[in-house]
Amino acid sequence: MSTEFDVVVIGAGPGGYVAAIRASQLGLKTAIIEREALGGICLNWGCIPTKALLKSGEIYEQLSHLGGYGLSVEKASFDFAKIIDRSRGVAKTMSSGIAFLMKKHKIEVVEGEAKLEKGSPSPKVVVALKAGGSRTIQAKSVILASGARAREIAAIGAVSDGDKIWTYRDALAPKTMPKSLVVIGSGAIGIEFASFYRALGAEVTVVEAVDRIMPVEDAEVSKAAQKAFEKRGITFRIGAKVTKVEKTKDGVSVAIEVGGKAETLTAAVCIVAVGIAPNTEGLDAIGLNMDRGHVVTGKHGETNVPGLYAIGDAAGPPWLAHKASHEGIHAAEHIAGYKTPAVNSPIPGCTYANPQVASVGMTEAAAKAAGIDVKAGRFPFRVNGKAVAAGEIEGFVKTVFDGKTGALIGAHMIGHEVTEMIQGFVTAITLEATEEDLHGIVYAHPTMSEAMHEAALDAYGRVLHI
């Protein structure tokens, strides 16, 4: 069968559509297949619409603190339907933007669901078209960017019904504002929804199986985050095993075990936020190597099947949009013959709750466990001039250095808009910056990013403003 395209990308999320654009830029004839909406989960049901909701919640919450700024407002209220409509409108706008980019780069968009079959020089792609019928495409290379979906646990009843038991998709567009919620899981997804619904006045309880919330974060950040969220009225049940989720007449009941003792939590709604499941079913038919549902890849995204690459959520953690985009660019360049280095850039993680949390690299505990001679520095926003002026004094910046080499190996933040600050440390780690490099950087004053400089100084006993 003759090759119709140089590259076919399966999945038009942040990994897939970016891979397609880069392939087209490199002169490769490219097609992209999407079964739902351009932009994938991230733009339509994840990263982007959640940020629209969180912004509405943040502004509404700020209204109760206007007195501290010499301002006042009477009878603050919100229209929940309009908040949801705005979020959906933002998602639609972004998805339309991806359609424009596909047209601009002359990428053929095929609407339908793809299936891989054995073929040469790459697997054949058989598409069940949305419009009806099917189409078989043979390309020189295929990039699998099929993404993932919410993980559900049927054994305990933690399965979405779209009514009282939700996953992230349900939580993004409910018909009515719930008065109370139980959120299972304190990762980024669970915490962001807990933050949003609490901002609008819902009673929120977060259940976490391990001994602290946001367990992938540095322990100091995790502790500070729980304290900040509890101050806002969110309740936590830590070290709690969920044994049963059941619908009731008035909502849901969530049975948990804490320290060997059984408890039952009740609420109007339960959000299941216990991770993701990759969309990789059926790939064993072409002999693809898999590991716990994820595709096994090499350093360039290549798989054991000739001509097939895998990127993003389908290829394993971290399950982040920017990681998928980075891998997509890398795979496209490798297909085009570029001698690209291995994919090993540091991947930042961000949680857009109030307060925000951002991190990159190793935690202090992980570095010590690896036998590294750690030098750690900290600087609180409460003594940063811009933070004090803005009334955003909550949180701190923490740095982790290798004491022998001086290399920055980790950075962790909690506070106002820290997700916009973390990239400075991502760049530093990528460029293998040392403490001397960071100490010599001039930071604009007054900015909250000055706390980054102070935290780097503090690791070596040179902090200035404490």
Side-chain angles (χ1 to χ4, degrees), residues 181-184 205-207 235-237 240 242 244-246 248 252-256 258 262-267 270:
L181 303 94
V182 171
V183 179
I184 303 175
T205 299
V206 177
V207 179
T235 300
F236 291 93
R237 304 299 289 133
V242 178
K244 191 70 175 177
V245 180
E246 293 182 297
T248 66
V252 290
S253 69
V254 180
I256 63 174
V258 185
E263 297 181 25
T264 299
L265 306 174
T266 59
C270 174

Side-chain angles (χ1 to χ4, degrees), residues 49-50 52-53 82-92 172:
T50 54
L53 294 181
K82 287 184 178 179
I83 290 174
I84 299 300
D85 286 346
R86 176 180 179 273
S87 173
R88 301 313 310 147
V90 168
K92 184 177 180 181
L172 275 165

Side-chain angles (χ1 to χ4, degrees), residues 70 78 168 191 216 225 277 287 311 319 328:
F78 63 86
Y168 59 81
I191 288 296
V216 302
I311 63 171
W319 302 289

Side-chain angles (χ1 to χ4, degrees), residues 243-286:
T243 58
K244 191 70 175 177
V245 180
E246 293 182 297
K247 291 190 291 183
T248 66
K249 180 181 178 181
D250 299 319
V252 290
S253 69
V254 180
I256 63 174
E257 288 182 2
V258 185
K261 296 182 179 180
E263 297 181 25
T264 299
L265 306 174
T266 59
V269 166
C270 174
I271 297 179
V272 181
V274 291
I276 63 96
N279 297 321
T280 56
E281 291 81 4
L283 293 176
D284 54 337
I286 60 170

Side-chain angles (χ1 to χ4, degrees), residues 79-199:
D79 186 322
F80 188 69
K82 287 184 178 179
I83 290 174
I84 299 300
D85 286 346
R86 176 180 179 273
S87 173
R88 301 313 310 147
V90 168
K92 184 177 180 181
T93 296
M94 297 303 296
S95 183
S96 297
I98 305 306
F100 166 78
L101 291 173
M102 296 299 98
K103 184 176 181 180
K104 174 187 175 182
H105 291 281
K106 297 179 173 60
I107 298 165
E108 182 174 339
V109 176
V110 180
E111 296 184 338
E113 186 161 358
K115 178 182 178 182
L116 292 176
E117 295 183 357
K118 291 183 178 180
S120 180
S122 69
K124 288 190 296 185
V125 183
V126 180
V127 185
L129 299 170
K130 270 188 180 181
S134 66
R135 176 180 175 183
T136 300
I137 302 172
Q138 183 70 66
K140 294 177 183 177
S141 298
V142 175
I143 300 176
L144 180 67
S146 53
R149 61 192 182 278
R151 178 171 170 254
E152 299 172 290
I153 309 175
I156 61 170
V159 178
S160 169
D161 69 348
D163 180 26
K164 297 177 180 179
I165 304 174
W166 296 350
T167 61
Y168 59 81
R169 291 187 71 138
D170 307 305
L172 275 165
K175 295 178 181 178
T176 58
M177 166 72 188
K179 293 183 178 180
S180 57
L181 303 94
V182 171
V183 179
I184 303 175
S186 72
I189 294 173
I191 288 296
E192 287 184 3
F193 280 119
S195 184
F196 166 67
Y197 281 105
R198 180 58 193 154

